[in-house]
Amino acid sequence: MKKILVIGEILVEVMADTPGTGFLQPQPLTGPFPSGAPAIFADQAAKLGQPVAIVSAVGDDDFGRMNLTRLQQDGVDVSGVVVDAERPTGTAFVRYDAAGARQFIFNLRHSACGRVHVTEAVDRLLNSAGHLHVMGSSLSDPASVQLNLRAADAIRARGGTVSFDPNVRAEMLRAPGMTQAMHDVLARTDLFLPSGEELTLVAGGSTPEDAIDGLIARGVGAVVHKNGAAGATYIGGSSRHQRPAFAVQEVDPTGAGDCFSATFTALWLRGVPAPEALELAVASGAMAVLRRGPMEGTATLDELQAFLRTARPSA
């Protein structure tokens, strides 16, 4: 099986126990939980038995040790993760309001994962991986963008492939260089995995159909459009498949899209037919929301198949 490489942030997440807005008063919190979109993706892919490595950095602290232990236990190659003695592991504090919207306080830019380290181990991974998965959250600075593009070019030059989950909001595209970075990655993308309005935000077009037509014309091999409670759609060449979401009691949505993308990407790399891969990916996203904590809902293939035997589509 092709080894997946993912480059980006590893952090811990701490969650407010009460709904509301802001962190202006002392309040009960639960955590830390292992997190970071690339780390969640890597963990889910590894639990499916897919070879996967992550390039990142953590601090020489308990938060970093907790993340590395979790990733290693689940089968992720962490040889490309640097332990930074000068910076702490990244953090995210999150609180949900009564409607379920999330408010975050991040420390990433000045944390260990805010600095790019290109070590001999990282070079070995860039020279051996068969697939690169790019996360939009990891394109926040020029050094990270250049490392992702370097990896994409090296992997594609030897016949490998690239998948891209933009994970971006409209306001993020106004950051200097972000739009260009998205376009540069998209030009190297074989499998595109946007959520909701990200499809038109990143790919352009006045409608999702226009955006998809433009992507296919530009050489993107397949598009998987994630639509949360509305399910997901696969478009590849002349094939189109749609799967509804499953009826579940949502506990924590963070990480669901990363689990979906990891599951679909791993199965796509193995040549699993698109309808089956899409169904298992939707199941992976559904299982991810059942437990509190962004990485706590990752699942094995057996667990996903067991879920499908009893799951029912949402109304």
Side-chain angles (χ1 to χ4, degrees), residues 241-276:
H241 306 283
Q242 200 276 333
R243 284 291 180 271
F246 293 105
V248 293
Q249 185 64 46
E250 181 179 282
V251 175
D252 181 7
T254 302
D258 305 318
C259 289
F260 176 108
S261 294
T263 300
F264 188 90
T265 301
L267 298 176
W268 179 77
L269 287 170
R270 299 177 197 181
V272 173
E276 181 183 349

Side-chain angles (χ1 to χ4, degrees), residues 9-13 33-41 67 137 258 294-295:
E9 67 274 12
I10 295 175
L11 55 94
V12 295
E13 185 168 307
F33 292 101
S35 191
I40 299 166
F41 176 97
N67 269 291
S137 61
D258 305 318
M295 203 183 288

